Amino acid sequence: KSLYLPPPIVETVVPTSQQKPQSWRYTMSKPADGWQKTDFDDSMWKEGQGGFGTEGTPGAKVRTEWKTLNIWLRRTFDLKDIRQLRHPQLAIHHDEYTEVYINGQLVAKLGGYTTSYVRVALDGKARKALKAGSNCLAIHCKQTKGGQYIDAGLVNVTERTKK
């Protein structure tokens, strides 16, 4: 009899750039207030492929170089049916301090760094921020020393039960 639970089923909802580059709007200059809100006009921001960072950062697949202290990212995605998202989680690789917003709502504040993609559980308030139709994922990442990298997406995680 196994002591271990079977691995969870992890379904991609919003892909990261780990396998295939994803387009983001980004700026390395402090944006105007409200930059994380869905109705913010980011048309003057640059467009680039994730992930963002510097070569040599552990586990990073850099497609757009980011060497400044701060970066702000935005991307929109569509959800058909949010009822299927019972346990949404962030899929994120960050170095270093990161704030993640969904539809203007702060859903995660992460310190330190990761050396690979990790999953971060979202609370009920974060799940309520998601809606059917168009959604906005907005991220601010701040760098202090060493390597730097940011990329994120969303997954839905279903735990399997022992049989």
Side-chain angles (χ1 to χ4, degrees):
K1 188 170 147 177
S2 173
L3 296 171
Y4 304 106
L5 291 171
I9 300 165
V10 180
E11 302 163 283
T12 299
V13 177
V14 179
T16 66
S17 296
Q18 188 174 13
Q19 310 297 333
K20 187 173 152 233
Q22 302 297 317
S23 274
W24 292 80
R25 290 275 185 185
Y26 72 97
T27 182
M28 295 179 204
S29 311
K30 187 169 175 28
D33 288 350
W35 66 271
Q36 73 278 34
K37 295 192 162 79
T38 51
D39 60 356
F40 182 81
D41 179 7
D42 61 13
S43 61
M44 300 305 286
W45 289 21
K46 293 179 181 152
E47 199 168 334
Q49 305 289 309
F52 297 81
T54 56
E55 289 298 330
T57 301
K61 195 168 211 171
V62 176
R63 293 192 176 89
T64 302
E65 190 175 56
W66 160 47
K67 295 194 299 194
T68 59
L69 290 177
N70 291 279
I71 191 167
W72 291 264
L73 305 166
R74 289 173 52 89
R75 127 187 211 208
T76 56
F77 61 94
D78 284 321
L79 289 178
K80 301 241 182 304
D81 183 4
I82 58 165
R83 288 173 301 184
Q84 295 169 321
L85 286 179
R86 287 210 164 73
H87 303 286
Q89 296 182 359
L90 277 177
I92 190 165
H93 183 173
H94 67 95
D95 186 348
E96 278 170 77
Y97 302 103
T98 305
E99 294 172 333
V100 181
Y101 299 84
I102 294 174
N103 295 329
Q105 173 90 40
L106 181 64
V107 297
K109 276 181 103 152
L110 308 168
Y113 63 91
T114 61
T115 56
S116 63
Y117 286 82
V118 296
R119 294 192 328 258
V120 176
L122 296 175
D123 65 15
K125 205 164 75 170
R127 287 195 299 275
K128 283 190 180 106
L130 291 162
K131 59 190 186 359
S134 183
N135 289 265
C136 176
L137 181 61
I139 298 172
H140 171 222
C141 190
K142 182 180 167 123
Q143 172 56 26
T144 60
K145 62 180 193 278
Q148 60 195 88
Y149 190 73
I150 183 65
D151 184 38
L154 283 175
V155 294
N156 190 47
V157 178
T158 308
E159 297 296 335
R160 296 185 216 201
T161 53
K162 276 187 170 180
K163 294 232 174 4

